[in-house]
Amino acid sequence: IAFGMTMVIIAGEIDLSVGSTVALSGVTTGAVTGWLANHGGMPIEQAVIIGMVVSLVLAGLIGLFNGFILTKYKVPSFIITLAMLNVVYGAAAVMSGGFPVTTLPSWYNVLGSGEILSIPVPAIILLLIFAIIFVVMKYTKFGRSVYAVGGNPESARLSGINVGRVKIICMVVVQLLSALSGILLSSQVMSGAFSFGKGWELIVISAVIIGGTSLFGGIGKVWGTFVGLVFLGVLINAMTILNVNEYVQYIVRGCLILIAVLITTIQIMKRRS
């Protein structure tokens, strides 16, 4: 999710609804699988594939909706995605009835807990997504357009870049990656619950900012986000191992975000001066 969020923030926007999409995708995968297996007469081993596809399509539509409202009516992405955070969580809760959905086949667990050549499947997927986003942002015309849109939307428009389309694509990508994360999480625990992903949007944004991406848009690197993820993961694990109070961990994370934003802001001010 953090790699997709990097694109969104570089484009000058933000998405607070990613955590709720994680929950919705896990619940949707389980619910669709159960319905097809119980009422559609489809083997559960095949039904879960349809469930995953439906989850990804639904996430894509959420991203499309967010991007459409953003570009068509100029509503700030912060407000749109804050509203969608609650809407999507509510939809996941209604769909699951407040209980975990466990209608999933045994092979599904491989996605979240399996290994290939002793390497966990989620780690392989993480590196693959990193490689794809890195290449797109560094070596493609679209990647350069994202930086241009985030740096100066009006200049980008005058240069012939479709600003609205670029922002919509970024919003769709981060939602698709959120759905993928929800699928992997539900695969690990073999259930889908509306409580999945709660607070993930803050962790994701923290990793992106610590990695050097500016909240003002136009500045950031995908590899920086990767470093931010590793740093944040090591820090959180270290505090957990050392039995640091959970509330103190919130303070540490908040201070890290503030420091990272201050450093980026100071760097921008120096460049302009």
Side-chain angles (χ1 to χ4, degrees):
I1 303 174
F3 300 136
M5 187 66 77
T6 303
M7 296 176 65
V8 171
I9 294 179
I10 289 175
E13 305 298 339
I14 199 163
D15 192 335
L16 300 177
S17 65
V18 292
S20 55
T21 301
V22 171
L24 183 65
S25 63
V27 169
T28 300
T29 300
V32 171
T33 301
W35 189 88
L36 290 175
N38 297 326
H39 302 284
M42 180 181 292
I44 193 170
E45 291 78 14
Q46 299 173 13
V48 72
I49 297 175
I50 304 298
M52 288 188 286
V53 171
V54 171
S55 296
L56 291 168
V57 170
L58 197 56
L61 291 174
I62 292 172
L64 194 62
F65 175 80
N66 290 343
F68 175 76
I69 298 296
L70 166 68
T71 56
K72 179 71 174 179
Y73 299 103
K74 309 303 179 185
V75 179
S77 56
F78 178 89
I79 300 299
I80 301 169
T81 57
L82 180 62
M84 289 303 292
L85 181 152
N86 293 283
V87 170
V88 177
Y89 262 131
V94 170
M95 189 181 298
S96 65
F99 296 96
V101 181
T102 57
T103 47
L104 297 165
S106 57
W107 77 262
Y108 184 66
N109 185 243
V110 173
L111 295 177
S113 302
E115 294 183 352
I116 298 177
L117 299 176
S118 299
I119 304 175
V121 173
I124 294 173
I125 294 174
L126 172 71
L127 294 174
L128 182 62
I129 296 299
F130 165 71
I132 293 172
I133 301 296
F134 177 81
V135 170
V136 168
M137 292 298 290
K138 189 173 179 63
Y139 298 107
T140 69
K141 180 180 176 181
F142 176 77
R144 291 190 291 273
S145 297
V146 174
Y147 281 100
V149 167
N152 191 320
E154 183 60 19
S155 295
R157 185 185 67 81
L158 294 174
S159 299
I161 296 172
N162 189 325
V163 175
R165 184 174 63 183
V166 169
K167 291 190 175 186
I168 289 174
I169 291 174
C170 290
M171 300 298 278
V172 169
V173 168
V174 75
Q175 285 292 324
L176 289 174
L177 294 176
S178 300
L180 177 60
S181 298
I183 290 170
L184 293 176
L185 180 58
S186 65
S187 172
Q188 287 179 339
V189 299
M190 289 301 286
S191 68
F194 77 95
S195 58
F196 282 177
K198 226 169 195 27
W200 277 26
E201 55 278 347
L202 298 180
I203 297 174
V204 166
I205 294 170
S206 299
V208 175
I209 295 172
I210 290 171
T213 299
S214 172
L215 280 173
F216 300 104
I219 299 173
K221 301 290 184 183
V222 179
W223 65 262
T225 296
F226 190 90
V227 173
L229 281 171
V230 173
F231 176 78
L232 196 59
V234 170
L235 181 66
I236 292 173
N237 286 335
M239 289 192 294
T240 302
I241 292 171
L242 294 172
N243 291 320
V244 176
N245 187 286
E246 182 182 357
Y247 304 120
V248 175
Q249 293 187 31
Y250 281 113
I251 295 173
V252 173
R253 266 186 272 175
C255 289
L256 281 173
I257 296 172
L258 182 59
I259 292 169
V261 170
L262 284 174
I263 291 173
T264 304
T265 303
I266 291 170
Q267 289 175 339
I268 293 173
M269 290 174 65
K270 285 182 177 179
R271 290 174 184 174
R272 289 176 178 174
S273 62

